[in-house]
Every structure is written in C-alpha cells, then in structure tokens.
Amino acid sequence: MLSEPVLTARREDGRDVPLLYWRADRPLRAVSSAPLGGGLGVRHWVVNATVPMSYDRDDPADHLAELADLLDLDGPGVGLLTGVDVSEVIARADTGVRVWATVGLGLPVRAAEPAPAVLAQRVGTVNIVVYVPARLGDAALVNAVATATEAKAQAIAELGLPGTGTPTDAVTVLCPVDGPESAYGGPRSTWGGPLARAVHAAVTTGGRGTVVPWSERRAG
C-alpha cells in the first residue's frame, strides 16, 4: 500500500521549498518516466519536489537522491520535479485506484507539432502518481502509463487548451508485487478504466484555474 502523501519543505538558497513524499509499507512494483527511479522496477517511495522556474541543475537525479536522504527514505524510489507548488496536489480515487496529480499547464503543447526555436512562455509540468491495488504485469504497467496519458490529454482537450500535455510531464504507476497478475492496463480493462477516470478527474480539477509557479508567486 502507498501512504497518503506527506507535505514538508526543505531549505534551499535561503528559501523553504515545498516537498511531497509517499512511503510504501512494503515494496511496490513501479513503472515511471521520472528522472530518478524511472523505468520498471521495485520501489519503496515517491518524492515530488517543487523547484523554482530558474532551476538549471543538470543532475536532477542526484538532486532528488539528496532530497530522499534528507527525508530518510530508504531503498530505491521515484523522484519527480515540478515548478508547481506541490501543496496544491489534487487527489482522486475510483474503484480502489488512487491518483495524485500536480498540474501546471503554463505551456501545453501538441506532441507531434514541430518544436519552436524558443519557448516564449513559461513551461508547465503535470506529474501524475497512480496506485493500483492489484498486481499488474510488465505490459499492463506500460499500458497503464499510456492510459493515464490518454486521460490527461482528454482532460486538457476538454479544458479547451491547445495541447496534449507539456514538454516535461511525468507519470508513475505503482502496484503490489504479490497476488494474481492482471495482464491489461488499457482504458477498458479492470484497472485501466478506473485509472483513466481518476486521472481525468484530477487533471481536470487541477487545470481549471490559473496555476502560478511557486517561485513566481513567492516573488510577487
């Protein structure tokens, strides 16, 4: 089981910067696109850390590992970064599936469009953490990431924004290591259906208002 997230802060550059983390009461299977702990594997925790919009470290995985040490998080885990204030995390649940999302849609983009030479607006990040209460096979975990992404894109479209996501979005899906294995994670599967609905609800709620990046809000 994955805990409810704990909100705290760490001191960096003279500022108290928000930090959100989850602990697993036992190791969980995971798939993630995060800079720390990405890929498939067994994970013990998740961190979602706010960073200023001026963030320019070229070693985000090392930075996140330092934050995990600060929090006394043991074993391998998943680390995410965002310019959003993680205290504004949105939680939704559906049929046992739990979802948490920090939603920053400052610059939604269409995935297949040519990239502009310069990003004229602030970037955004949508970080999605999902817990499924049943063991998913490797293919089902990968499929669950696709389902979460499809649900996010649906929410963005329904919000009237011209994009399918942002350039820095990340998804993490976790599930138990034991029990009967579910082979599917698509939107009409046993667990993919509630996953899609919960992600859609979280991103829709988080995207309705104007989200000011944490560092800009603090400055002004």
Side-chain angles (χ1 to χ4, degrees):
M1 177 70 75
L2 194 64
S3 71
E4 290 296 319
V6 176
L7 179 66
T8 185
R10 82 277 187 183
R11 194 74 176 167
E12 284 185 0
D13 299 325
R15 298 175 290 184
D16 292 321
V17 190
L19 188 63
L20 199 67
Y21 68 96
W22 297 253
R23 294 181 189 268
D25 60 3
R26 62 187 65 185
L28 298 172
R29 301 193 74 227
V31 61
S32 180
S33 60
L36 176 67
L40 286 160
V42 174
R43 305 289 182 259
H44 297 240
W45 47 264
V46 179
V47 168
N48 192 10
T50 295
V51 292
M53 296 303 289
S54 59
Y55 187 80
D56 61 356
R57 285 187 61 159
D58 59 5
D59 59 346
D62 291 342
H63 185 196
L64 285 158
E66 292 165 8
L67 297 180
D69 287 343
L70 182 68
L71 296 167
D72 294 323
L73 298 173
D74 296 324
V78 173
L80 306 155
L81 297 172
T82 179
V84 174
D85 185 339
V86 294
S87 69
E88 297 179 350
V89 63
I90 305 294
R92 292 292 182 268
D94 191 306
T95 321
V97 175
R98 294 189 294 157
V99 168
W100 299 269
T102 50
V103 183
L105 291 169
L107 182 61
V109 298
R110 294 185 177 94
E113 282 185 339
V118 177
L119 293 179
Q121 306 175 51
R122 69 170 66 103
V123 297
T125 298
V126 180
N127 283 341
I128 298 170
V129 176
V130 178
Y131 174 75
V132 176
R135 183 183 179 194
L136 301 179
D138 286 355
L141 279 169
V142 174
N143 203 357
V145 171
T147 297
T149 303
E150 290 175 18
K152 174 194 69 179
Q154 179 183 339
I156 292 170
E158 291 173 359
L159 288 165
L161 299 173
T164 55
T166 86
T168 54
D169 291 353
V171 181
T172 300
V173 180
L174 306 106
C175 69
V177 298
D178 300 316
E181 185 175 278
S182 295
Y184 306 106
R188 295 297 176 264
S189 67
T190 299
W191 297 111
L195 184 160
R197 293 190 295 269
V199 168
H200 177 268
V203 175
T204 298
T205 299
R208 281 196 180 116
T210 301
V211 176
V212 179
W214 169 82
S215 53
E216 293 184 14
R217 178 188 304 160
R218 186 182 182 279

